[in-house]
Amino acid sequence: MSTTLYKSLVFGMLSASVLWGCKEQKDKNVAMAQSNEANVETMTWAEKLGWPKGKKVLILHADDIGMCPEANIAAKNQLDDGDIQSAAVMVPCPNAKEFIAWAIENPKTDIGLHLTLTSEWKTHRWGTVTAKEEVSGLLDETDHMWHKVIQVVQHASAEEVEKEVRAQIEQSISWGHRPDHIDTHMGTLYADPSYVEVFLRVAQEYQIPANVIDISNPEVLAGFRKEGYPLDDSVVKMIEEYQLPKLDFFSSAPNAKTYEEKIDNFKKLVNSLNPGLTEIIFHPSVQTENLKGITNSWQQRVWESEMFADPQLINFFEKEGIIFTNWLEIMERFKTSKK
């Protein structure tokens, strides 16, 4: 074998070895990057916001505030006593301004808006904040909002929805309270992809967090689709691109036939949750004859105004190591995480 040929073979073998080593290292780097990416993707929002891994972090959130005096009284009591962490006001309703005034006096309390596009009760009803001629699709023949979500979808354009959503936010601001978060009454803003686009865009424009659930988990996505939410691929992409903090999960206080069953059902709900950040909504009201005249769900609402002060639930939360938070803290942690 000639010296030249020998050198060529050796050089070739060395080159192949070097190239293979580079490829092997590259493969390891890719694998490591993919592993890191997977770890990031599987982190819950509770972890992303700095809470310990494996913990259940809850927001106990009162809906339908401002709807009637009974709801306002219940929410004030619960928030004052520290039994719940958050509440949201229905701006078009008759007792909304009164509760907003209370929120101004209690600036460390998490008070958002329960953006309202329906008026579901038979006799206790309301219209839009926006002039009716500008959002006629949101109104029925009596100039009240539609009773049902499907009626809103059938009649109201996304442009009308956006106009009313903005009007409700601006109304609260004009009363003196910038909402700490926004969510959606009866889930209406998730009832059509065009409404979702409005909801997320307005939230990001105002930098007010919305109750957006991270549906990158296929099980979570499938669960909400099963409940009837039209979460098509466009909605999945919109939520993926949403730039404010998200919830890992969202649920509501289960109904029951007795108060004891109500407590037990709530414990079962909490036990069923995976670790992460979850908002649980309910509709507290104190008992009056007026409340009974508004809604057949009055008994559930009365129990929901009492149960979170019950030692049974308080002891259960402590035993389970539940962490509680609200949207004010979520946004503080979110901003810190971005620095």
Side-chain angles (χ1 to χ4, degrees), residues 104-336:
I104 295 168
E105 295 172 359
N106 295 270
K108 294 184 179 180
T109 305
D110 174 22
I111 306 298
L113 298 188
H114 199 41
L115 297 172
T116 304
L117 300 171
T118 52
S119 178
E120 67 271 33
W121 310 119
K122 289 182 179 179
T123 57
H124 187 67
R125 307 199 65 206
W126 46 82
T128 54
V129 173
T130 312
K132 63 181 183 180
E133 60 271 14
E134 296 182 38
V135 289
S136 58
L138 285 170
L139 299 167
D140 66 14
E141 64 280 359
T142 68
D143 287 337
H144 295 102
M145 289 180 172
W146 297 102
H147 284 91
K148 299 178 181 179
V149 174
I150 186 63
Q151 293 172 309
V152 180
V153 175
Q154 290 169 342
H155 295 91
S157 67
E159 291 74 21
E160 290 171 311
V161 166
E162 180 172 352
K163 188 169 287 189
E164 178 60 18
V165 162
R166 288 182 181 277
Q168 291 181 23
I169 294 171
E170 289 297 332
Q171 180 68 83
S172 180
I173 291 172
S174 72
W175 285 339
H177 176 65
R178 181 177 174 81
D180 297 314
H181 63 274
I182 52 177
D183 55 47
T184 169
H185 183 51
M186 296 177 70
T188 312
L189 286 168
Y190 283 110
D192 186 89
S194 67
Y195 296 178
V196 177
E197 192 278 330
V198 167
F199 188 36
L200 303 190
R201 177 162 46 80
V202 169
Q204 291 175 111
E205 178 183 321
Y206 280 91
Q207 288 294 289
I208 299 174
N211 65 328
V212 175
I213 304 102
D214 189 340
I215 53 176
S216 61
N217 182 331
E219 291 183 9
V220 174
L221 176 59
F224 283 105
R225 280 177 170 169
K226 188 175 181 180
E227 290 183 21
Y229 290 98
L231 304 177
D232 63 15
D233 290 345
S234 71
V235 174
V236 172
K237 184 172 177 58
M238 281 186 259
I239 291 177
E240 180 185 340
E241 295 175 349
Y242 176 71
Q243 296 298 307
L244 293 174
K246 302 172 191 174
L247 299 165
D248 291 301
F249 198 64
F250 176 89
S251 191
S252 59
N255 288 339
K257 294 180 181 178
T258 67
Y259 177 76
E260 288 300 322
E261 184 183 45
K262 186 89 173 174
I263 294 286
D264 288 342
N265 286 349
F266 199 86
K267 290 179 182 178
K268 290 175 184 176
L269 168 62
V270 173
N271 282 332
S272 73
L273 297 174
N274 290 323
L277 178 60
T278 299
E279 181 174 278
I280 303 177
I281 64 166
F282 49 94
H283 308 87
S285 294
V286 297
Q287 183 172 331
T288 67
E289 291 305 309
N290 181 56
L291 180 67
K292 292 180 181 180
I294 293 173
T295 171
N296 291 332
S297 68
W298 66 268
Q299 182 63 84
Q300 303 295 324
R301 292 171 183 252
V302 170
W303 288 337
E304 288 168 11
S305 74
E306 301 168 352
M307 60 191 290
F308 299 111
D310 193 310
Q312 294 181 73
L313 265 187
I314 293 173
N315 292 336
F316 167 76
F317 292 143
E318 291 176 353
K319 181 181 177 182
E320 295 298 318
I322 302 299
I323 297 172
F324 293 101
T325 190
N326 61 27
W327 285 102
L328 288 171
E329 183 181 11
I330 288 168
M331 283 303 288
E332 285 177 7
R333 286 172 171 262
F334 180 71
K335 289 173 183 176
T336 300

Side-chain angles (χ1 to χ4, degrees), residues 29-45:
N29 291 341
V30 169
M32 186 178 295
Q34 289 173 340
S35 175
N36 290 338
E37 186 178 345
N39 287 336
V40 170
E41 288 176 354
T42 57
M43 283 179 68
T44 67
W45 269 92

Side-chain angles (χ1 to χ4, degrees), residues 49-66:
L49 293 169
W51 281 290
K53 184 177 181 178
K55 283 291 186 178
K56 295 179 183 180
V57 182
L58 300 186
I59 309 169
L60 299 179
H61 183 275
D63 273 355
D64 290 8
I65 310 309

